[in-house]
């Protein structure tokens, strides 16, 4: 089974320039989580599923708590959080920084982890 969290908008401190420190910027995070959901499908119980609300909360809190110089580091950090749940066999994250370039809609970094 695949769970997707789409367009999670979080104000975060990210960037190497002096003006980016202490000035949260919007990042947009998309994640994909793959896991064996057969128990959840049979039981219809949240305890057998990956709680996407809790996952969203963990990601949001983690991204807000640290100043990241690079989107690459932020993406790796988000992957680590997702892979803490041992039921997850594949995780993907894409992080967009919408205001990074004046001539583009955004800049994004994506990363993947699997067991």
């Amino acid at each position: 089974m695949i769970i997707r969290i789409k367009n999670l908008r979080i104000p975060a401190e990210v960037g190497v320039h002096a003006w980016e420190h202490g000035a949260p910027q919007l990042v947009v995070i998309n994640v994909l989580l793959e896991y064996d959901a057969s128990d959840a499908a049979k039981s219809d119980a949240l305890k057998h599923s990956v709680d996407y609300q809790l996952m969203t909360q963990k990601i949001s809190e983690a991204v807000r708590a640290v100043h990241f110089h690079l989107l690459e580091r932020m993406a790796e950090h988000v992957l680590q959080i997702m892979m803490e749940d041992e039921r997850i066999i594949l995780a993907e994250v894409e992080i967009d920084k919408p205001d990074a370039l004046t001539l583009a809609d955004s800049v994004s970094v994506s990363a993947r982890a699997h067991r």
Side-chain angles (χ1 to χ4, degrees), residues 45-62:
L46 181 59
K47 69 180 181 179
H48 294 133
S49 180
V50 173
D51 185 341
Y52 52 80
Q53 185 173 10
L54 179 60
M55 184 67 69
T56 299
Q57 179 183 345
K58 286 181 178 181
I59 292 168
S60 179
E61 288 173 358

Side-chain angles (χ1 to χ4, degrees), residues 4-6 28-30 33 44-45 59 64-65 72 74 77 84-85 92 97 101-102 112 115:
R4 286 186 173 86
I5 301 170
K6 297 181 180 182
V28 181
I29 300 176
N30 286 282
L33 306 166
D44 199 26
I59 292 168
R64 290 173 195 248
E72 291 87 343
M74 184 186 287
H77 191 64
E84 287 175 357
D85 187 325
E92 294 180 355
K97 188 175 173 184
L101 298 171
T102 57
R112 175 185 316 190
R115 295 191 204 285

Side-chain angles (χ1 to χ4, degrees), residues 60-107:
S60 179
E61 288 173 358
V63 167
R64 290 173 195 248
V66 177
H67 178 94
F68 296 92
H69 288 117
L70 301 174
L71 288 175
E72 291 87 343
R73 178 64 190 119
M74 184 186 287
E76 182 63 28
H77 191 64
V78 170
L79 276 179
Q80 290 172 356
I81 291 165
M82 293 188 293
M83 295 302 287
E84 287 175 357
D85 187 325
E86 295 193 8
R87 296 171 295 181
I88 295 173
I89 57 175
L90 173 74
E92 294 180 355
V93 61
E94 180 178 22
I95 303 177
D96 283 84
K97 188 175 173 184
D99 297 321
L101 298 171
T102 57
L103 298 177
D105 291 339
S106 72
V107 171

Side-chain angles (χ1 to χ4, degrees), residues 10 16 21-22 32 35-36 42 53 56 71 79 89 96 104 109-112:
I10 303 172
V16 297
H21 290 262
L32 177 145
Y35 75 107
D36 178 358
K42 289 176 191 170
Q53 185 173 10
T56 299
L71 288 175
L79 276 179
I89 57 175
D96 283 84
V109 169
S110 59
R112 175 185 316 190

Side-chain angles (χ1 to χ4, degrees), residues 13-29:
E13 289 190 32
V14 58
V16 297
H17 303 290
W19 63 267
E20 294 175 302
H21 290 262
Q25 301 174 65
L26 181 70
V27 294
V28 181
I29 300 176

